[in-house]
Each structure stands twice: as C-alpha cells, then as structure tokens.
Amino acid sequence: MSAIQEDTELQCPHFEEVDEKTLRQLFSKVAAVRSENKDLFEFTHRPIEVFRSPQGTQLEEEIVGEEEVYREFSDQRVGNFSVVIEGEVGTGKSELCAYLAHRLDEDGRPILHVDKDDDLMTLLSERIPEFYEKHFDEELPGASNFQQLRDDLEKNGSVVANNATSGAILNLSARGYEVNAQDNEEKIREFVQDQLSLLVEKGEYAKEIKFVTEQAYRRNTFLQVIEDNIDVEDAVEAFNEELWREIRDRYQTASLDDVLERVGEKFTDTRPVIIFEDFAITAMEGQRLRNYMERDKSSDNWDFVVAGTRDSTEVLHTQTAEDRFEFYRTNRQNSNSVLFLDENSAVDFIRPYLGYFKSFDGSVEYDRSGDGLELSLNPAPSGTICAECGFCDESFRDLFPFNEPFLERVYAGLREDEQSPREFVMAVFDVLRDYYEGYIDAPSSADRLSTLTNQVDPATLIYEDAESLANLARWYGTPTEDGIDIDARFVDAFGVAEAAEKTEEVSRSDGSVTVPTDMSSQKRSGKGVGKDDGEDDGKDGGETPPKLTKAEQLVQDFQPNVQPWQSNPGDFTELTRYMRIGLDDAINHLTDDFELFDGMGLRYNLSSQKDPFVFTSLQQSPDEDQIVIDPEEFRLSDLKNLLEYGIYHEEDRQRADTEDLLRGLGTQLTGYARQWQQQIIDQNLRSDLKFFKKNADHEFEDFALAGYAYVVLLSSPFEEVTAERLSERFSESGSYSLNSKLRTALKEDLSKDSHEDLVEFMNYADRFEEMVSAFFGANANTLDVERVRECLDEHPPSAVFGGLGRGRIQRISPRVRFNTNSKIRDVADISYDLDRAFEELEDEYKRSTVTTVSNELAPVSISDIESILENLRTYDHVDTDMIESLGKFVRLNQENIEDAADAARLATELETRSADEQLQATLISMKLTTTDVVDRYTDITIVGGSSETDFANYFLDIGGHYVD
C-alpha cells in the first residue's frame, strides 16, 4: 500500500487488502504474466473470436472462436505445423497465445514461450537451452557457444566486430565479388559493432531486420564495398549473409532452425510447442526459420504459434507457407476493433478484471454459463467482505469504484483506432491506479478521462462552481429530462457531497443527486431556445421540445467533447475550428484589430489564413508571428464558453457577446493578447537582427522620438529643438509640412534623390506624432517633457538615425504597418535615406549669410529707413534703382528682421555644439538665404548700384547727406 493511499479513504475494503503488485499483474500488458498466472488468466479471460484467412477453395474469411483455433493442434500430426496470428497492436494476439499456451499445457505439451522483450541472442543462449535442460536434464549441445558469443558481444564487442568485418569482406571476395574496403574498413567495423550491440539489447533488434539496411547502404558510401554493377538489394543481402555467417562460423553456433530441429528430435512421445509473442525477434533468421517451419519432413515435430503485426510476419507469406499454415487475424480490416469487444460488450469484458481481487475472499464470483461474454454476478456469500460491507448494490458491486455508465463511456470515448482490448483495459487501469494511489479523490477526475469523448455534459455553470461534481455527473450519471442523475452513494463516497449542497442549481432526493445541463437549465428558467419570446412551445397546450438553431445545435453537439479536445485538438477538427474562431476574435478585440501598442495605429496585418496562435497539443511549430497557447491552461468551463462564443461568432453573429466572454476570460485572454503583441514587437522592432545595426544601442521608442524631432525641425527650423519645443508643437493643431523656404534652399544644395527623400520623410510626419503620443504622451495634449529630455540626451536623433541598418530594416515584416501605404519598414527606410541626405549638408553651413544678418541686418530699424526714404523721394536726381530696391525693403515688417536676427544668433550658438545642433544651424543658415529679409537686402542698390556691407550705417550717412 502506498504512502499516499494510507491517508485516503477508498470506501471499498477490498482496496485495503490488495497490494499494488497484484493490481499491476492484473492489468499488465505483458502476456507472459497472464500465461504464467493461470488463476488470474482464467478469471479474467474473455472468449476470443478471430477471422480465419481464406485458404484453398475458401473465398471469404470466416469467423472462428478460440476453441476452434486450439483444435488445430494435434499431437498426432506429422511434420511441423504453424498457426499465425496477425493483428494490430493490442487487439488480442498475445491473449490468444496465452489461451493456447494454457490449453496445450493442460494437454501435457512442452511449451517454449518467447516473450516480446526477448531478443534473438536471448532465445538462442537462454530460452532454448533452459527449455532443453528442463525437459532432458542435460545441457543443450552448443549452448555454451551461444553464451560465449553473448558474453563477447557484451564485453568485447569491438573484437567481434573486427573479426566479423574482416571475415565478411574476405568471404565476399571469395564469392567472386569485386571488393574494395581498404580505406573504409575501420568505419565499417564501427558500424557493425553498433549493429551487433542490438543483438544483446532487450527488444531492440525487432527494430532492425538487417545488420546493413538498404537505406544505410545508400547513405554511407563507406559500406558500399562491392564494386560490381549489381542492385543495392543484392549487395546488401550478400553483405548481411557474410557478416552473420562469419559470426556463426567463428563461434560454431547453429542457426535458429538447426537448433530447433536438434531440440525437436529429442521429443519422441509428444510435440513441443514454441510460442512467439512477437515474430519480429526472428528477423535475422526469418527466412531460414520459415523454410524450416514449412518444409514437409515427417521427422519434424514442432507446433509453432506465431503472433505479430503483418509487417513482422510478411516473411511467412509465401505460397507454400500460406498453403500449409493456418492464418488468423484478430482485428477487422483497416481497424483496431475486434469481434469480441464493442460498446455492448465492453462492461462484461472488463468486469472480471475489476472483480478479480474481490474474488480472493469469495465476495465476487460469476455465473459464466451465458453466451459469449455474458456474465452474471453471483450473490456475495455470507461472511465475505461484500456481504458485510453493504455499500454497493448488485449493479456495481464488482465494478466499484466504477459503475456501468462509467465503463461504457470509457470504451465509447476511445478513438476508433484505440478501441482495442489493450487500450480499453489500460485506460481503465490508468484511472483505477490513480484512485488507488490517492492522486485523485474520484475516478471521474482522472487525467486519462480528459482524453476521451463523452456526450454527457453538465451545465457550464456547474463546471464553474463545482468542477469535481460536474465530472462525476459526466461519467457516472444518467441523463434525464431534468438533468443528470447520480447515485448519491458515489457523491458521498468521492467527497463531493459538500459541493453538491453548496451549488444552488443541484437538487437531491430519493438517493440521487440531479445536476443540470444547459438545456435543462433553460427549460426550468423558462428561456426558450431557437424561438422568439412568447412563441408557443406546442400545440393545444402540449409542450414539444423547442427547435434548435444551427448554432445552438452545434453548441449542444460540441460542448461535451471540450474536455478531450483540451488534450488533443487534432481529434476534433470542427471543434478546433470554432475554438480558433473564438480565440482569434477575442485577441483581435483585445488588441484593437491586432495593434501592437496601445494608443497607436501601428498593427500587424495578420494573414486571413493564419491565427495569431497555435495549440501546443497539435504539435505545430509556431511561426514568428504566432504564440503557443496551451488548452490545458484554461478551466474547462472557460473553454466551453469560448467554444460557444466561437460558434455564435461564426453562425449567429448577433448572439456572440464579446463583453460577456471577457468578463470571465478577460484576464487570461488579455495575457495571450499581450504576449502576441510582445512577440511581434520583439521579432520586428526590438530584435538584434532587425532595425538597428549590430552595435547600435537604441530602442524603437528612440526612433519614434528622433523622427518626431526631425519632423518638428524641418517644419520650423528657426525654433530650437528642445523637449519643451516638441511638447509645445505636439499641443498645437494642424498638419506638418516641410518649411517652404527651407525646401527651396535644400533643393539647390541637395541631390535630386536626397531632396525627394527629405520630402517623402515629411509625408510620415503624422505617423511619428502618433508614435510619440503613444510612447511619450503625458496626456492627449502634452508630452512628458522630462522623459523626452532624458531620451534626447541619451539618444540624440542623429545617433539614432545613424544607427539604422538598411539590410536589417528590410528584414522587418511588411505586415507591421499603420496602413497599406505606411509599412513601418518603409518609414524606417526613408528615415535611413534622410540620414544620408543630412550627410550631404555637413559642409553647407552658410556662414556669410548668418554673419550678414547678425552684423548688418540686426541693427536695422525699418521705421528709420522708411523716414529717410520718404525724404529721398523728394529729390529728382536720386538714383531710381536705389529708390525702388529700398521701397521693396521697407515693405518688410520689423518683426521679419527680428526673426531673422534671432535665427542668426541661434545658428551662431548651435554651430559649435553637438551634431544635431550643428545640423539645425545649417538648416537655419539655409533657410535664411531664401527669406525675404535676406533676399530684399541683397537686391538693394545704393547710389551707383553697388551693394554695401555695412548697410545700416552707410545708408544713414547717405540719407543724412541728401537731407542736409
């Protein structure tokens, strides 16, 4: 008894007395256990029916019972005889072998049983010698040679491999082949040593039929030692023959058929029987053994029982063997189902397994006089545990801790390709073991059940409030119009009575507990389904079940299978489709159509053919734009709600209540949404392989702010770019555009491509504002000035844009975009081009313009010049060109001159500072050259048409001369 079990109340006293070893033997997959324990086998064995393969004039398969198979064996037969039992794994081959073994043992026949876990060397060095010694009390001649080979393989495998390889190469040459292995012999020896090791590894050699396979021969050129122009198949066969021949000759070991012939000759008054549970272990000697089995020699006297899948018994399907052997198949064609087990017989099939350990004290005995699998439980004799306990009634006394509905649903819930005897038995045992060892309080909560389908489905709210009770109803209950009725004894025995009492929707009466279904809840609450409010449910006062809409029918059909879907979505294609629809729409909703950052229109344009996720249990490798979602992370009730939402979203959109779904699943789904967003961001915007060059230490947020700083600079270059200035511009309404005066100047000094790049960059101005708003917005109207200042100090725009990598930008998915025409990689690409354009401006600082504005225009007063100009116009002999140019100049506002003077002073200050400030100084100087102030100033003609450098003072002097 396990330590866990000691603290667990198992209800049935038989569980307190049975030990784990007995249970494991009872449910063992190894048929040898059932062959050796006759009492266990006879109590639990159920009659087997198989298909007999057509032979002779027989055109169709016939169905025969195990007794008919047994009758094929006669100790008066002459020559070898073979029965071949073929079938898929777990369909009763080994059980039939065990049945035949017991029957033939009762007849006094010597039985040599070869287990599935045996290998060829074990058979030759242990099983057959032990069998021989048991019956003849002497050592099998040559057995020591096999043992020596086995010991050498285990201890000196390299030596055996060396000898085998060298000898095989010489033998091939002696057979007339052109052989060349001089340069590769060491590699061949290592390969052969690895293959030889399989001979002494339990169960391993069944995986490989030959030392050298055709695939290995083609793949490894060093094995291609035969240079003759022959087929690969012939070359491989010859190589294998000589390797095995060399080993047998060196150790003087006989082949399997020779050994069996030697042993068989010793039995003169009976026929020995050899039972191969898995014929695959004879693969090395399969053809020789088959020839021995099918030969027509009167002195041979072995009866062979051979079990295996069709792949392993293929060697037996020769014309001669099919004429002389008896072939049976346990399962139906293209299926794992068998004749002796179906939904109707499942309970009676498993019943004796569960009743076995309760038979030790006589509590459980069966009347087996019925046909086929039918069993009738006899009353418990007085004084037995069952008679004294009184907990169970006769319907489940031998089945406890299960009942008939439970076992029926387990079998029905297996996938069609798993509805075999072994899978059914092991499914039941998996549940029983977890309950026995105390891992679960109720069998209905076992993990194994979560993989099985089951159409019985309690209401979703029961899963939400009391999942253990919902599981109990699902597996033990009987569906009724009012819900699902559970025998109250199971409710009490498995510790869910308190949950039943606390759950308002659950009722208890007359020894049963009734758990509602979604349909029964709607009926009791008066809510119609599939009809309008107020619509009569029936005619003439009689109620008829409401007609379900397509969506409601799908919900009703699919919800019961949510639990097995949770473990294996691949088995439920349509259910998976609706789950995907629900999850996809929820993530879409939570990300505002797959946006990557809150408050920003940057999104991932997910393909319409792809979800943002894959399910772990579908064993799909996620793409870089998908996250992994594990269905096991959800509560069952949440998955049912998600399925319902997905169905309604697809089939009846108006009834898909997103807000209701998110009230229950919002936190979990938001986590998935955030995870998906972060994965796209990490893959495209923060990856070391994308966006920035390898050594650039910048983030996407730095790029957003740097771009916005350049947008503001290019739209108003006379304003110093500071954190305060960026916040001020952010607060202003109006679109962004390249300053017209600056644009004119740049067109003259930049190449055509660079100028176009700069103009194109400004087309993305609103996108940079959008990004800055999301990353640095203090509120809707201002930026977080302190954060902006820190970012500009640590990551100056010139450094950020200089860190962009053209090749890395191109690795960004084109699906990351603001809209079809605003892919983020296009925004980054034009930013890269802008940085190259700015490099062309490194020597374009207009120092003379800045100096002129600072020294000559800064002191100018428009009103003073205008006053003098009026006096000049009174003189007839004043130069007309001078009067005209001065007239244009004085039409300027004083503010224009002051703005130009301020800009010039700013340029002078910035010109000696950082790279970004030097850039702004250059742009200021370039814009100044195209301003009206500088333009009209340079057009002024004084007196003789010459321009003067000290305009203000010189003009005042000239003006004074005329006035005086």
Side-chain angles (χ1 to χ4, degrees), residues 66-77 80-85 96-97 99-101 103-104 107 109 111 271-275 302-306 326 328:
E66 56 190 21
E67 179 68 21
E68 293 176 76
V69 179
Y70 159 70
R71 289 178 191 153
E72 294 287 352
F73 296 91
S74 169
D75 59 3
Q76 301 302 312
R77 189 184 294 272
N80 290 333
F81 172 69
S82 302
V83 163
V84 182
I85 306 167
L96 182 53
C97 286
Y99 169 81
L100 296 174
R103 292 297 303 271
L104 293 169
D107 296 338
R109 301 283 291 277
I111 308 294
R271 291 173 61 85
V273 181
I274 183 169
I275 299 176
W302 275 100
D303 282 334
F304 291 87
V305 179
V306 174
E326 294 291 339
Y328 299 94

Side-chain angles (χ1 to χ4, degrees), residues 409-475:
R409 289 166 197 167
V410 167
Y411 179 79
L414 292 166
R415 294 199 315 257
E416 185 176 347
D417 62 348
E418 290 183 340
Q419 288 182 328
S420 65
R422 178 184 296 176
E423 290 295 337
F424 180 40
V425 168
M426 295 314 300
V428 172
F429 175 60
D430 286 343
V431 178
L432 182 67
R433 179 189 56 204
D434 284 353
Y435 176 68
Y436 172 78
E437 294 183 348
Y439 292 118
I440 52 176
D441 294 328
S444 50
S445 296
D447 288 342
R448 182 65 176 90
L449 299 181
S450 67
T451 66
L452 308 180
T453 59
N454 182 353
Q455 290 302 311
V456 179
D457 193 37
T460 302
L461 60 89
I462 302 300
Y463 283 101
E464 293 173 347
D465 297 339
E467 187 168 327
S468 60
L469 178 62
N471 286 331
L472 193 69
R474 179 174 168 81
W475 292 99

Side-chain angles (χ1 to χ4, degrees), residues 930-964:
T930 61
T931 59
D932 289 342
V933 172
V934 173
D935 186 52
R936 294 185 187 186
Y937 170 68
T938 56
D939 283 345
I940 292 175
T941 301
I942 299 178
V943 187
S946 63
S947 297
E948 300 294 340
T949 57
D950 191 6
F951 166 71
N953 294 328
Y954 186 74
F955 181 69
L956 290 175
D957 288 343
I958 295 299
H961 168 76
Y962 280 102
V963 173
D964 293 339

Side-chain angles (χ1 to χ4, degrees), residues 869 873 879-891 936-943 951:
L869 179 59
R873 283 180 174 147
D879 187 84
T880 56
D881 289 338
M882 182 175 72
I883 295 297
E884 184 179 351
S885 62
L886 286 172
K888 288 182 181 180
F889 185 80
V890 296
R891 284 198 292 271
R936 294 185 187 186
Y937 170 68
T938 56
D939 283 345
I940 292 175
T941 301
I942 299 178
V943 187
F951 166 71

